[in-house]
Amino acid sequence: KQEVTQIPAALSVPEGENLVLNCSFTDSAIYNLQWFRQDPGKGLTSLLLIQSSQREQTSGRLNASLDKSSGRSTLYIAASQPGDSATYLCAVRIGTGANNLFFGTGTRLTVIP
Amino acid sequence: DVKVTQSSRYLVKRTGEKVFLECVQDMDHENMFWYRQDPGLGLRLIYFSYDVKMKEKGDIPEGYSVSREKKERFSLILESASTNQTSMYLCASSFSANSYEQYFGPGTRLTVT
């Protein structure tokens, strides 16, 4: 069974700093990997989805990379802002069907003004 | 914009009560999902549905049942609530079985006392 790990569980950075969030998975045979944002007490919002054939995806100040062979993905946030404070989750899909999506436990990011 | 709504943001119930959590989506999506989210465990799939009156068990269906009488509505039922069902419950929907984009509701934080 696929296991998805996100370390650290929490991270605090000063505003303006560039930062990297990590996601690792145990089985490299994946369909895609997705990064989500979750604000306190709210649902998940999709940020970026990387297909297994891709190495990275970019959206604004966010850049997600994927290295299947090492079982790793990173989410790079440039010039962090207090509004980026949230929990970031990654999810790995190993096939079609609802029960083939595995979530990490998330990294809670705090950007200090 | 896709909208997924959940009937309650916060709910407090007593042990042994029957609990209904309602989820409605407004984009004619075929697939709907119920997850629970617990600290350190990430999101875990309880049940999902590919169509009206159709349901499939996820990873942790024990103690839960679901109902999908209409395409837009997916209900999660706790037949006899227990304290270990205290959790955040998230509903999601997606367009088709092969769609990787899941849209999440805001969540219901259920406390069972």
Side-chain angles (χ1 to χ4, degrees):
Chain A
K1 182 181 173 181
Q2 180 75 263
E3 290 186 12
V4 183
T5 305
Q6 293 183 249
I7 296 173
L11 180 66
S12 291
V13 300
E15 181 178 0
E17 192 164 294
N18 301 327
L19 62 102
V20 173
L21 304 179
N22 298 298
C23 173
S24 60
F25 46 95
T26 53
D27 188 341
S28 62
I30 67 171
Y31 268 40
N32 60 47
L33 184 144
Q34 199 164 1
W35 282 94
F36 293 87
R37 170 186 172 133
Q38 185 177 27
D39 292 290
K42 297 190 177 180
L44 278 65
T45 301
S46 179
L47 297 173
L48 291 164
L49 185 148
I50 312 177
Q51 301 292 353
S52 62
S53 58
Q54 297 174 319
R55 295 299 299 269
E56 64 180 287
Q57 281 284 337
T58 298
S59 175
R61 294 182 294 107
L62 306 180
N63 176 277
S65 69
L66 175 64
D67 184 344
K68 282 196 310 178
S69 61
S70 66
R72 290 174 184 261
S73 175
T74 61
L75 180 66
Y76 174 83
I77 303 177
S80 59
Q81 304 170 357
D84 295 329
S85 297
T87 296
Y88 292 81
L89 295 99
C90 67
V92 171
R93 182 173 291 280
I94 64 171
T96 57
N99 55 348
N100 288 319
L101 186 63
F102 296 88
F103 286 84
T105 53
T107 294
R108 187 171 69 251
L109 173 67
T110 303
V111 180
I112 303 164
Chain B
D1 277 354
V2 174
K3 190 173 237 181
V4 180
T5 57
Q6 296 182 228
S7 53
S8 305
R9 295 297 303 277
Y10 301 94
L11 209 52
V12 180
K13 296 291 182 180
R14 292 187 180 275
T15 302
E17 279 192 81
K18 189 169 186 176
V19 182
F20 293 86
L21 302 183
E22 305 285 340
C23 176
V24 177
Q25 50 92 6
D26 67 356
M27 283 301 291
D28 203 33
H29 283 174
E30 294 180 2
N31 301 307
M32 297 188 75
F33 314 86
W34 275 107
Y35 295 90
R36 65 177 282 177
Q37 183 178 28
D38 300 287
L41 295 177
L43 272 76
R44 294 178 292 168
L45 183 65
I46 305 171
Y47 267 97
F48 60 99
S49 169
Y50 287 134
D51 202 349
V52 176
K53 296 191 185 294
M54 182 277 180
K55 60 187 178 186
E56 292 285 344
K57 293 180 180 179
D59 296 322
I60 51 164
E62 296 78 18
Y64 303 95
S65 62
V66 290
S67 172
R68 192 160 181 207
E69 296 296 319
K70 294 185 178 181
K71 193 174 185 179
E72 67 271 19
R73 188 180 298 269
F74 192 34
S75 302
L76 180 69
I77 304 157
L78 287 66
E79 295 290 343
S80 178
S82 63
T83 55
N84 63 12
Q85 293 179 308
T86 291
S87 186
M88 171 71 102
Y89 290 88
L90 291 166
C91 175
S93 71
S94 69
F95 179 68
S96 69
N98 293 322
S99 170
Y100 299 135
E101 191 73 51
Q102 287 192 13
Y103 297 87
F104 283 81
T108 295
R109 183 164 294 282
L110 172 67
T111 302
V112 183
T113 61

